[in-house]
Amino acid sequence: PGVPQFVALSVPDALASARWYRDAFGLRTLAEIKPADGAAHVIILTSDALLVEILQLRAAKSPGKDSVKQPELTHGIFKVGFHVPDLEGAVAKLRAMKAEFDTGIIDDAEHGLRFVLLRDPDGNYIQLFGKPKTPHGTRPGS
């Protein structure tokens, strides 16, 4: 097995975000760091495939509602993607958790991709990938 992929998120509430990512992706807490001065709260979550650092900094500021609503219009990383073994199961679980979805499952046979776009509770853009229903380069029914 390879090493886990890594993503770090700056959030307004580390405990709430960590709870959501644990529930959504079956992660477990690896470490929690809270300096005595209260300026930060770091929670590191892990699985065999993923390492997520949740960082709450007292000095951090939100980029603003428009940037969160359309992150692709701000230069920089605007979404993160995860491969899941069961896309339908992940979508059902996240719908039960009241996640906000931007799309339903998209089966893009032409490019060999199958995915869905959603938001975490802080509005961060997430793309989940599953195995395509049809092999790359073939059309359904051909």
Side-chain angles (χ1 to χ4, degrees):
V3 296
Q5 298 301 307
F6 172 80
V7 63
L9 300 168
S10 176
V11 300
D13 183 338
L15 287 174
S17 292
R19 184 179 319 109
W20 191 86
Y21 277 88
R22 275 194 303 265
D23 293 347
F25 299 107
L27 302 174
R28 62 190 179 279
T29 301
L30 178 66
E32 185 168 1
I33 304 154
K34 284 181 84 169
D37 66 3
H41 187 179
V42 180
I43 301 173
I44 301 172
L45 307 173
T46 190
S47 73
D48 292 341
L50 182 62
L51 192 65
V52 177
E53 178 182 349
I54 304 290
L55 177 65
Q56 178 184 337
L57 295 174
R58 186 172 45 217
K61 295 176 179 63
S62 168
K65 191 182 282 188
D66 290 336
S67 292
V68 172
K69 203 164 194 68
Q70 290 188 283
E72 68 276 13
L73 298 181
T74 301
H75 291 159
I77 295 169
F78 72 92
K79 69 179 169 180
V80 61
F82 305 121
H83 287 267
V84 294
D86 175 8
L87 188 58
E88 283 83 0
V91 167
K93 180 179 183 177
L94 288 160
R95 284 198 192 284
M97 292 171 62
K98 308 287 188 225
E100 176 189 337
F101 283 80
D102 285 40
T103 70
I105 293 175
I106 296 170
D107 192 5
D108 180 356
E110 181 180 349
H111 299 103
L113 297 171
R114 193 155 183 269
F115 61 90
V116 65
L117 293 160
L118 67 138
R119 309 292 178 128
D120 76 2
D122 296 312
N124 296 307
Y125 217 12
I126 300 172
Q127 188 167 8
L128 298 182
F129 294 92
K131 291 183 181 159
K133 284 193 171 192
T134 54
H136 177 65
T138 64
R139 303 222 184 270
S142 61

